[in-house]
Amino acid sequence: MLVPGAARKRQGDIHMTETSEVRTNDEVWVVGATGRVGRGVTARLAARGLTVVPVGRSRERMVAAGAGAGLPGDAKVVVAHSAERIAEEIVRERPRVVVNTMGAFAATAPVIARACMPGGHYVDQASDLVAVQGLLALHDEAVRAGSTLVTGAGFGVLATEAVVAKLCEGRPAPHRVLVDAVGSVAVEAGVLGAALAASMVDVLTTGGRRYENGRLVTSRLGADPQRLAFPDGESAKSAGVASGELVAAHTVSGAAFVTATSGLVPTAPLLRALLPLLGRLLSVPALRRLAVDRLGQVRIKAAPRPRKHSWGHAVVEWADGTRHEGWLRAGDGMDFTADVTATVTELLARGVGRPGSWTPAAALGADLATPAGGAFILD
Ligand SMILES: NC(=O)c1ccc[n+]([C@@H]2O[C@H](COP(=O)([O-])OP(=O)(O)OC[C@H]3O[C@@H](n4cnc5c(N)ncnc54)[C@H](OP(=O)(O)O)[C@@H]3O)[C@@H](O)[C@H]2O)c1
C-alpha cells in the first residue's frame, strides 16, 4: 500500500501547522511546464482533473505547452523569470502544491520550497547529492510549517531507494548497501537544454562520494566501473557517483557503508582519468556558466531508448553475512519520472503525506514506483 505512517488530515483547503492554520488554494503549479519533464507532468495532472497552472518565462510557450498537455486555452499561467520571482508569486497566491522542474535544484529548490511554507507542498526531481541534501536539510522547518517537501521524485532516487526500502523491510539496519541506477531514455530532437546541462556539470563538479562508517567521504568519480547484467538479458556499464541515490540509500537503510553507481558516468578509461580535472575546471564559476550555456545549446538528434528497460538495482548485506539483491524494472526513465512526480503531486494535493522533507519512498512508501510502471524483482 502507498503512504505508510500517519497520513496528514486535510480540512478543505485549511492546513494545520504547529502554530496556526494556513489557507492554500486548490492549484498545482508546474514550474518549467514547457520542458520535457514539465510537459509530461502537466499532461498527467490535467488528465487526473487537478487545477494545473504552468509557471515559466514565456507566456506564449506556456500557453502552447498547456494546450498540448490538454489544459483549456484560457487556463491561468504565471510568468516569472527566476526562482526568486517564482517564490514571490507563490507567497502571494499560495498554491497547494508546487512542482519544480526548472532544474539547477541545488540553487532553485530551497528558494521555491521555502516559499511553499507554511502549509503548501513541494516536489522536485533532483538527483544530485548537493540538491537532495539541501532539501532534506529543511526537514524541521517543514515539520513546523505543516508542509511536505519531496525531492528526487523521479527515476533518479526512487528507482534505487524503493528497492533498498523493500529489501530492508522488517529487517534490522544492514551493514553495507550498493545501489546502481541505469536509466534508458528516448532522446527528443532539439537542444539539450540548460536544466539537463546544469545537472551534468553538477555531477562533474561534485566528484565522487561514498559512506564509510556512517560518514560521507570523498571518493573518485567513476570509481568501481562495472558491467551490470540485467534480469532481462541486456547489460550496461555503470560507475561510482555522488548522487541523491547515495543519500537516499543511506537514509532509508541506516547502513554504515553505502556506494552508488550510475549508467550516466563515463566508464572509458581515458574519460574516467579526465573526470577529476574536468570537475576542478568546471568548479570555476565563469567556466561553469560557459559550460552549462554551451552544453545547453548542443543540438541532439532524436533516438529511441537504447534498452527496453530502465533498471534500479540494490545489494544489501548484513553483518551476519546475509545478503539480498533486488531490481526495479521500469520503462523509459523520463516517462517513469513524469509518472512518479504526477503521483506524488496528486497525493500531496489530496492532503496525503507527512510534514517534513523527504525522498519519495521515505515520504510515501516504496510502492510509489508501481503506478509509474515499475516492477520489483526481489530475491
Ligand atoms: N530524477 C530524475 O530521474 C530526472 C529525470 C529527468 C530529468 N531530471 C531533471 O529534471 C530537470 C528538468 O529536466 P528537463 O529535461 O525537463 O529540462 P528542460 O526540458 O530543459 O526544461 C526546463 C524547464 O525549466 C524552465 N526554466 C529554466 N530556467 C528557468 C528560469 N530561470 N525561470 C523559469 N523557468 C525556467 C524552462 O523554460 P523555458 O521554456 O523558458 O526554457 C523549461 O520549461 C533537470 O534538472 C533534469 O536533470 C531528473
Side-chain angles (χ1 to χ4, degrees):
M1 97 113 203
L2 278 179
V3 195
R8 204 158 54 83
K9 196 168 177 220
R10 220 192 84 207
Q11 304 168 338
D13 61 353
I14 301 172
H15 300 252
M16 300 299 297
T17 73
E18 277 186 3
T19 51
S20 60
E21 287 181 352
V22 181
R23 265 178 199 282
T24 59
N25 62 34
D26 68 347
E27 293 170 358
V28 172
W29 287 18
V30 180
V31 178
T34 60
R36 185 153 176 204
V37 175
R39 274 180 280 133
V41 171
T42 303
R44 284 161 174 80
L45 293 175
R48 295 176 195 194
L50 279 89
T51 308
V52 187
V53 177
V55 182
R57 292 185 280 206
S58 152
R59 180 177 299 278
E60 292 69 34
R61 285 204 301 275
M62 281 190 291
V63 169
L71 294 181
D74 60 350
K76 171 178 170 178
V77 300
V78 173
V79 181
H81 290 76
S82 67
E84 288 72 18
R85 300 313 293 263
I86 291 163
E88 286 170 14
E89 296 297 331
I90 293 168
V91 169
R92 200 176 358 258
E93 299 209 31
R94 307 246 45 96
R96 184 167 296 156
V97 188
V98 177
V99 182
N100 176 12
T101 76
M102 73 183 280
F105 295 114
T108 66
V111 174
I112 295 178
R114 278 213 166 93
C116 296
M117 297 191 265
H121 311 301
Y122 170 89
V123 186
D124 72 36
Q125 309 76 35
S127 61
D128 68 286
L129 179 123
V130 176
V132 169
Q133 282 188 319
L135 202 81
L136 295 181
L138 301 186
H139 183 76
D140 292 348
E141 216 173 303
V143 169
R144 284 194 297 277
S147 292
T148 306
L149 317 180
V150 179
T151 184
F155 179 79
V157 178
L158 184 63
T160 48
E161 181 198 24
V163 181
V164 176
K166 285 274 181 194
L167 294 175
C168 292
E169 226 163 46
R171 297 183 169 121
H175 177 65
R176 185 182 299 277
V177 172
L178 303 110
V179 291
D180 309 296
V182 183
S184 181
V185 171
V187 177
E188 279 181 2
V191 292
L192 184 76
L196 194 52
S199 299
M200 292 162 76
V201 169
D202 285 343
V203 167
L204 289 167
T205 54
T206 305
R209 298 282 191 287
R210 64 174 186 272
Y211 284 92
E212 261 182 34
N213 289 314
R215 287 183 45 243
L216 194 59
V217 298
T218 304
S219 66
R220 197 187 165 94
L221 178 61
D224 311 319
Q226 59 177 346
R227 178 167 283 281
L228 270 172
F230 304 126
D232 64 357
E234 292 197 279
S235 70
K237 289 180 179 169
S238 72
V241 67
S243 59
E245 289 92 305
L246 180 73
V247 177
H250 173 68
T251 309
V252 79
S253 68
F257 294 82
V258 185
T259 56
T261 79
S262 163
L264 294 174
V265 179
T267 51
L270 180 63
L271 263 179
R272 280 181 56 235
L274 288 174
L275 290 176
L277 175 65
L278 260 176
R280 278 198 295 279
L281 284 174
L282 294 174
S283 299
V284 178
L287 290 180
R288 183 188 192 280
R289 276 195 300 277
L290 187 71
V292 170
D293 188 48
R294 291 282 162 84
L295 200 56
Q297 300 299 325
V298 168
R299 293 224 144 255
I300 40 179
K301 287 187 187 158
R305 60 186 201 247
R307 290 170 301 280
K308 188 167 178 212
H309 297 120
S310 297
W311 292 98
H313 176 234
V315 177
V316 181
E317 294 169 359
W318 282 262
D320 66 1
T322 311
R323 181 184 188 275
H324 287 285
E325 181 174 7
W327 298 86
L328 182 85
R329 187 188 64 219
D332 184 283
M334 272 290 181
D335 292 341
F336 183 83
T337 295
D339 277 332
V340 169
T341 291
T343 303
V344 170
T345 304
E346 189 184 10
L347 288 169
L348 298 190
R350 291 207 330 247
V352 176
R354 290 173 291 166
S357 187
W358 314 94
T359 47
L364 297 159
D367 288 333
L368 198 54
T370 313
F376 290 99
I377 303 169
L378 307 170
D379 70 8

Short mmCIF file of all heavy atoms in Angstrom, two decimals, residues 346-377:
data_model
loop_
_atom_site.label_atom_id
_atom_site.label_comp_id
_atom_site.label_asym_id
_atom_site.label_seq_id
_atom_site.Cartn_x
_atom_site.Cartn_y
_atom_site.Cartn_z
N GLU A 346 -0.19 14.43 -6.90
CA GLU A 346 -1.62 14.20 -6.67
C GLU A 346 -1.86 13.82 -5.20
O GLU A 346 -2.81 14.30 -4.58
CB GLU A 346 -2.12 13.09 -7.60
CG GLU A 346 -3.63 12.96 -7.54
CD GLU A 346 -4.16 11.80 -8.38
OE1 GLU A 346 -3.36 10.97 -8.87
OE2 GLU A 346 -5.39 11.74 -8.53
N LEU A 347 -0.99 12.97 -4.65
CA LEU A 347 -1.15 12.57 -3.24
C LEU A 347 -1.01 13.78 -2.32
O LEU A 347 -1.80 13.96 -1.39
CB LEU A 347 -0.12 11.49 -2.87
CG LEU A 347 -0.39 10.11 -3.49
CD1 LEU A 347 0.83 9.20 -3.29
CD2 LEU A 347 -1.63 9.46 -2.87
N LEU A 348 -0.03 14.63 -2.59
CA LEU A 348 0.16 15.81 -1.74
C LEU A 348 -1.03 16.77 -1.90
O LEU A 348 -1.48 17.37 -0.92
CB LEU A 348 1.47 16.52 -2.06
CG LEU A 348 2.76 15.72 -1.85
CD1 LEU A 348 3.99 16.62 -1.98
CD2 LEU A 348 2.78 15.02 -0.49
N ALA A 349 -1.53 16.90 -3.12
CA ALA A 349 -2.68 17.80 -3.34
C ALA A 349 -3.91 17.29 -2.59
O ALA A 349 -4.75 18.07 -2.15
CB ALA A 349 -2.98 17.90 -4.83
N ARG A 350 -3.99 15.97 -2.43
CA ARG A 350 -5.13 15.38 -1.69
C ARG A 350 -4.91 15.43 -0.19
O ARG A 350 -5.75 14.97 0.58
CB ARG A 350 -5.33 13.92 -2.13
CG ARG A 350 -5.84 13.78 -3.55
CD ARG A 350 -6.64 12.50 -3.78
NE ARG A 350 -6.25 11.38 -2.95
CZ ARG A 350 -5.68 10.26 -3.41
NH1 ARG A 350 -5.43 10.13 -4.69
NH2 ARG A 350 -5.39 9.28 -2.58
N GLY A 351 -3.76 15.94 0.24
CA GLY A 351 -3.51 16.07 1.67
C GLY A 351 -2.91 14.83 2.30
O GLY A 351 -2.90 14.67 3.51
N VAL A 352 -2.36 13.93 1.46
CA VAL A 352 -1.73 12.72 1.97
C VAL A 352 -0.23 12.98 2.04
O VAL A 352 0.35 13.48 1.08
CB VAL A 352 -2.01 11.54 1.01
CG1 VAL A 352 -1.26 10.30 1.48
CG2 VAL A 352 -3.50 11.27 0.92
N GLY A 353 0.38 12.63 3.14
CA GLY A 353 1.83 12.86 3.25
C GLY A 353 2.15 13.47 4.60
O GLY A 353 1.38 14.28 5.11
N ARG A 354 3.29 13.08 5.14
CA ARG A 354 3.67 13.58 6.46
C ARG A 354 4.46 14.87 6.33
O ARG A 354 5.34 14.96 5.45
CB ARG A 354 4.55 12.55 7.17
CG ARG A 354 3.79 11.33 7.59
CD ARG A 354 4.73 10.27 8.13
NE ARG A 354 5.58 9.71 7.10
CZ ARG A 354 6.65 8.97 7.33
NH1 ARG A 354 7.04 8.76 8.56
NH2 ARG A 354 7.36 8.47 6.35
N PRO A 355 4.20 15.86 7.19
CA PRO A 355 5.02 17.07 7.13
C PRO A 355 6.50 16.73 7.32
O PRO A 355 6.84 15.86 8.11
CB PRO A 355 4.50 17.91 8.29
CG PRO A 355 3.11 17.44 8.52
CD PRO A 355 3.14 15.96 8.21
N GLY A 356 7.35 17.41 6.58
CA GLY A 356 8.79 17.17 6.65
C GLY A 356 9.37 17.19 5.26
O GLY A 356 8.66 17.42 4.28
N SER A 357 10.67 16.96 5.16
CA SER A 357 11.34 16.94 3.87
C SER A 357 11.89 15.54 3.65
O SER A 357 12.63 15.02 4.49
CB SER A 357 12.46 17.98 3.85
OG SER A 357 13.00 18.06 2.56
N TRP A 358 11.53 14.94 2.52
CA TRP A 358 11.76 13.51 2.32
C TRP A 358 12.22 13.21 0.91
O TRP A 358 11.94 13.95 -0.02
CB TRP A 358 10.44 12.73 2.50
CG TRP A 358 9.61 13.08 3.67
CD1 TRP A 358 8.57 13.97 3.70
CD2 TRP A 358 9.70 12.54 5.00
NE1 TRP A 358 8.01 14.02 4.96
CE2 TRP A 358 8.69 13.15 5.78
CE3 TRP A 358 10.53 11.60 5.59
CZ2 TRP A 358 8.49 12.85 7.12
CZ3 TRP A 358 10.33 11.30 6.94
CH2 TRP A 358 9.32 11.92 7.68
N THR A 359 12.82 12.02 0.74
CA THR A 359 12.91 11.42 -0.58
C THR A 359 11.59 10.66 -0.79
O THR A 359 10.84 10.43 0.17
CB THR A 359 14.12 10.47 -0.65
OG1 THR A 359 14.13 9.65 0.52
CG2 THR A 359 15.42 11.26 -0.75
N PRO A 360 11.27 10.26 -2.05
CA PRO A 360 9.90 9.81 -2.32
C PRO A 360 9.45 8.57 -1.54
O PRO A 360 8.34 8.57 -0.99
CB PRO A 360 9.89 9.53 -3.83
CG PRO A 360 11.21 9.90 -4.35
CD PRO A 360 12.06 10.43 -3.27
N ALA A 361 10.27 7.52 -1.49
CA ALA A 361 9.83 6.31 -0.78
C ALA A 361 9.72 6.58 0.71
O ALA A 361 8.84 6.03 1.38
CB ALA A 361 10.77 5.15 -1.05
N ALA A 362 10.60 7.44 1.25
CA ALA A 362 10.52 7.78 2.68
C ALA A 362 9.22 8.52 2.96
O ALA A 362 8.61 8.35 4.01
CB ALA A 362 11.73 8.62 3.08
N ALA A 363 8.78 9.34 2.02
CA ALA A 363 7.56 10.13 2.22
C ALA A 363 6.31 9.29 2.04
O ALA A 363 5.36 9.40 2.80
CB ALA A 363 7.52 11.30 1.25
N LEU A 364 6.31 8.46 1.00
CA LEU A 364 5.03 7.86 0.57
C LEU A 364 5.09 6.36 0.36
O LEU A 364 4.13 5.75 -0.10
CB LEU A 364 4.55 8.56 -0.71
CG LEU A 364 4.25 10.06 -0.53
CD1 LEU A 364 4.29 10.81 -1.83
CD2 LEU A 364 2.90 10.24 0.15
N GLY A 365 6.23 5.73 0.65
CA GLY A 365 6.34 4.28 0.54
C GLY A 365 6.96 3.84 -0.77
O GLY A 365 6.84 4.50 -1.80
N ALA A 366 7.60 2.66 -0.73
CA ALA A 366 8.31 2.14 -1.91
C ALA A 366 7.35 1.80 -3.05
O ALA A 366 7.73 1.84 -4.23
CB ALA A 366 9.10 0.90 -1.52
N ASP A 367 6.09 1.49 -2.72
CA ASP A 367 5.14 1.10 -3.76
C ASP A 367 4.74 2.24 -4.68
O ASP A 367 4.02 2.04 -5.66
CB ASP A 367 3.90 0.45 -3.13
CG ASP A 367 4.24 -0.94 -2.59
OD1 ASP A 367 5.17 -1.56 -3.13
OD2 ASP A 367 3.59 -1.38 -1.63
N LEU A 368 5.20 3.44 -4.36
CA LEU A 368 5.06 4.59 -5.26
C LEU A 368 5.59 4.26 -6.66
O LEU A 368 5.15 4.83 -7.65
CB LEU A 368 5.91 5.71 -4.64
CG LEU A 368 5.72 7.15 -5.03
CD1 LEU A 368 4.27 7.57 -4.86
CD2 LEU A 368 6.64 8.01 -4.17
N ALA A 369 6.57 3.35 -6.72
CA ALA A 369 7.18 3.01 -8.02
C ALA A 369 6.22 2.20 -8.89
O ALA A 369 6.38 2.17 -10.12
CB ALA A 369 8.47 2.21 -7.78
N THR A 370 5.24 1.55 -8.31
CA THR A 370 4.40 0.62 -9.07
C THR A 370 3.43 1.32 -10.02
O THR A 370 3.38 0.96 -11.21
CB THR A 370 3.66 -0.33 -8.11
OG1 THR A 370 4.61 -0.82 -7.16
CG2 THR A 370 3.05 -1.50 -8.84
N PRO A 371 2.67 2.35 -9.57
CA PRO A 371 1.78 3.02 -10.53
C PRO A 371 2.55 3.69 -11.67
O PRO A 371 1.98 3.96 -12.73
CB PRO A 371 1.04 4.08 -9.69
CG PRO A 371 1.48 3.94 -8.30
CD PRO A 371 2.51 2.87 -8.20
N ALA A 372 3.85 3.93 -11.48
CA ALA A 372 4.67 4.52 -12.55
C ALA A 372 5.17 3.44 -13.51
O ALA A 372 6.01 3.71 -14.37
CB ALA A 372 5.85 5.27 -11.93
N GLY A 373 4.69 2.21 -13.35
CA GLY A 373 5.09 1.13 -14.26
C GLY A 373 6.28 0.34 -13.77
O GLY A 373 6.78 -0.53 -14.48
N GLY A 374 6.74 0.60 -12.54
CA GLY A 374 7.88 -0.14 -12.00
C GLY A 374 7.45 -1.52 -11.51
O GLY A 374 6.34 -1.68 -11.00
N ALA A 375 8.33 -2.51 -11.71
CA ALA A 375 8.06 -3.86 -11.21
C ALA A 375 9.27 -4.31 -10.40
O ALA A 375 10.41 -4.23 -10.87
CB ALA A 375 7.81 -4.82 -12.38
N PHE A 376 9.02 -4.79 -9.19
CA PHE A 376 10.11 -5.24 -8.31
C PHE A 376 10.47 -6.70 -8.62
O PHE A 376 9.59 -7.53 -8.82
CB PHE A 376 9.70 -5.14 -6.84
CG PHE A 376 9.58 -3.73 -6.34
CD1 PHE A 376 8.35 -3.11 -6.25
CD2 PHE A 376 10.72 -3.01 -5.97
CE1 PHE A 376 8.23 -1.80 -5.80
CE2 PHE A 376 10.61 -1.70 -5.51
CZ PHE A 376 9.36 -1.10 -5.43
N ILE A 377 11.77 -6.98 -8.66
CA ILE A 377 12.26 -8.36 -8.76
C ILE A 377 13.20 -8.53 -7.58
O ILE A 377 14.31 -8.00 -7.57
CB ILE A 377 13.02 -8.58 -10.10
CG1 ILE A 377 12.11 -8.23 -11.29
CG2 ILE A 377 13.54 -10.02 -10.20
CD1 ILE A 377 12.86 -8.16 -12.61
#
